[in-house]
Amino acid sequence: MKKYDAIIIGFGKAGKTLAAELGTRGWNVAIIERSAGMYGGTCINIGCIPTKRLVHMSKVTQYRKPSSFEQYAEEFRNAIAGKRELTAFLRKKNFDNLDSKDTVTVYTGIASFRSPHEIEVKAGNETLLLEGEKIFINTGASTIIPSIKGLEGNPYVYTSTSIMELDKLPRRLVIVGGGYIGLEFASMFAGFGSEVTVLEGGDKFIAREDRDIAEAVKTVLEKKGITIHLNALVQSIEHNDAGAVITYKEKEGNEVQLPADAVLLATGRRPNTTDLHPEAAGIKISDRGAVIVDDHLRTNVPNIWAMGDVTGGLQFTYISLDDYRVIKDLLFGSGRRTKDDRVAVSYSVFIDPPLSRIGMGEEEALRSGRKISIARIPAAAFPRTRTFEQTDGLLKAIVDTETGEILGCTLFCAESTEVINTVSLAIRAGKDYTFLRDSIYTHPSMSESLNDLFALIK
């Protein structure tokens, strides 16, 4: 049995960064990844990087204005090839970064607990047993496969991972689930020329967002040719030689059949803990399969921590990176950092244009009992949107009128993924809305939209 100062299960953002940190400090570290195709984690292989590369290429395709579906299909094939080249480059770079360190050993295989200090690694026909003084879980999350008739063995059904390996562009794509992942793929495939239909089981479109923002997003997506059905409960996904046939039930009880060349399941993600056998180490797991941790990311077992999506929190790469910082501070710093001291965490949805948000929405702000002022302004009001012909969208800010505190901001506009970080910095620095209103920004830029948006606060 090989013994290590630390065993890290999972090659994601937190895991690989912690492995490099510990290795640099002279710790003897083992990092275990179940697949050679996942060195570097979800983000660079099947998540953030490849999807955003395809989002970009779908937009480039729109600029080229293909005149036939065959030309769209060729653009798609080239985009997939470019995506594969990019992920292969990043995967090798991530592997080499750790493999080159004398103090870090990379194991490729399926890890499972045997005891609080023992990890079994199955790699093909070989089984290894490792012992670690400290163990860190970073196994991520994967797509939830719903119980729908006809899914098993259906060659036309894909997850967000497998659909990015398609070489053939589907003429008709049906997406089951109208959440953020589903909408990113809807926008992307519509840009490549697919006929896209989104089936959302709920009665509200992107229910987390304010209704004016949601309506603005829906209008833009429909303008791209995307069809969105709410209250659409999928009953079955059968298939024949021609493709898939989705049967869904409308709110009124009517059953509708919809043919498709491909079906994407965008039905949420759950933590990867099944193969881990955490019960063998006495680790407590939530009803949703997440590893339960305290505010320092410690499990109930003293020598075991968990980081990233497996803890059941916000599933963002930058949260996983901050999990690493919390653990680093606990091991080598003051120990004051916790996962609960994060403020002003924003998120972005990479539809076209992107949707970015931080803080409260309007309904939450009203429920808080504060006196608030709300500013709204269309994206078309700003010269920058006209320079690259992307005038769709809506910007919105919510401010406490008594204190000037920025309570929330939603930017549905070009380059919102960058501008939202400026708002986040202002909030974290304790600045009121006038800081953004009166700042000097370059021109023409989308950042200067903050001048006009916050000038509307009364």
Side-chain angles (χ1 to χ4, degrees), residues 135-151:
I135 298 176
F136 303 89
I137 304 169
N138 186 220
T139 49
S142 55
T143 301
I144 295 172
I145 306 299
S147 299
I148 297 176
K149 180 183 177 183
L151 279 188

Side-chain angles (χ1 to χ4, degrees), residues 160-187:
S160 59
T161 299
S162 60
I163 201 166
M164 285 192 291
E165 295 306 315
L166 270 179
D167 290 303
K168 184 178 180 181
L169 177 68
R171 282 184 178 270
R172 301 163 300 178
L173 172 66
V174 173
I175 299 176
V176 180
Y180 298 139
I181 292 176
L183 295 185
E184 282 192 4
F185 278 95
S187 182

Side-chain angles (χ1 to χ4, degrees), residues 18-279:
L18 182 62
E21 174 76 33
L22 298 179
T24 300
R25 290 175 178 270
W27 288 36
N28 190 20
V29 181
I31 184 166
I32 306 165
E33 175 51 56
R34 66 183 299 139
S35 168
M38 287 295 287
Y39 296 139
T42 294
C43 179
I44 69 164
N45 291 292
I46 60 174
C48 319
I49 301 301
T51 56
K52 279 50 179 182
R53 171 61 179 259
L54 292 176
V55 165
H56 169 69
M57 292 309 299
S58 74
K59 191 169 183 177
V60 170
T61 297
Q62 290 295 296
Y63 290 147
R64 290 174 177 162
K65 301 184 186 302
S67 59
S68 66
F69 182 80
E70 288 69 30
Q71 289 180 359
Y72 274 110
E74 180 63 22
E75 294 281 351
F76 179 74
R77 281 192 294 273
N78 292 337
I80 292 294
K83 182 270 302 181
R84 288 172 178 159
E85 183 179 344
L86 174 61
T87 54
F89 166 76
L90 293 173
R91 187 161 52 246
K92 183 177 185 304
K93 182 179 178 181
N94 275 264
F95 177 81
D96 290 346
N97 181 52
L98 292 186
D99 191 55
S100 63
K101 297 183 184 300
D102 294 336
T103 53
V104 178
T105 303
V106 179
Y107 291 92
T108 304
I110 299 174
S112 59
F113 280 95
R114 287 276 297 270
S115 75
H117 287 278
E118 295 174 310
I119 300 294
E120 181 181 88
V121 183
K122 291 184 178 179
N125 296 323
E126 186 179 8
T127 299
L128 303 173
L129 194 61
L130 311 180
E131 181 179 336
E133 182 180 338
K134 291 179 172 60
I135 298 176
F136 303 89
I137 304 169
N138 186 220
T139 49
S142 55
T143 301
I144 295 172
I145 306 299
S147 299
I148 297 176
K149 180 183 177 183
L151 279 188
E152 188 173 350
N154 193 321
Y156 300 101
V157 176
Y158 301 88
T159 66
S160 59
T161 299
S162 60
I163 201 166
M164 285 192 291
E165 295 306 315
L166 270 179
D167 290 303
K168 184 178 180 181
L169 177 68
R171 282 184 178 270
R172 301 163 300 178
L173 172 66
V174 173
I175 299 176
V176 180
Y180 298 139
I181 292 176
L183 295 185
E184 282 192 4
F185 278 95
S187 182
M188 175 205 307
F189 274 92
F192 280 122
S194 294
E195 177 186 315
V196 180
T197 302
V198 176
L199 301 179
E200 167 57 41
D203 60 358
K204 283 186 177 182
F205 179 66
I206 46 175
R208 183 175 179 176
E209 307 298 334
D210 291 339
R211 292 303 85 201
D212 52 354
I213 296 293
E215 189 57 36
V217 173
K218 188 169 184 285
T219 298
V220 169
L221 293 179
E222 289 175 340
K223 186 177 170 182
K224 296 178 184 294
I226 299 168
T227 302
I228 300 168
H229 294 295
L230 302 178
N231 297 298
L233 301 178
V234 176
Q235 306 298 301
S236 65
I237 306 176
E238 305 290 355
H239 71 279
N240 52 42
D241 292 340
V245 179
I246 301 95
T247 301
Y248 69 92
K249 185 175 291 186
E250 298 178 315
K251 185 176 182 179
E252 297 77 14
N254 303 319
E255 286 197 348
V256 179
Q257 288 194 329
L258 192 63
D261 301 300
V263 180
L264 169 63
L265 298 178
T267 44
R269 295 173 68 80
R270 66 159 52 98
N272 290 326
T273 53
T274 302
D275 293 334
L276 200 58
H277 295 298
E279 69 282 354

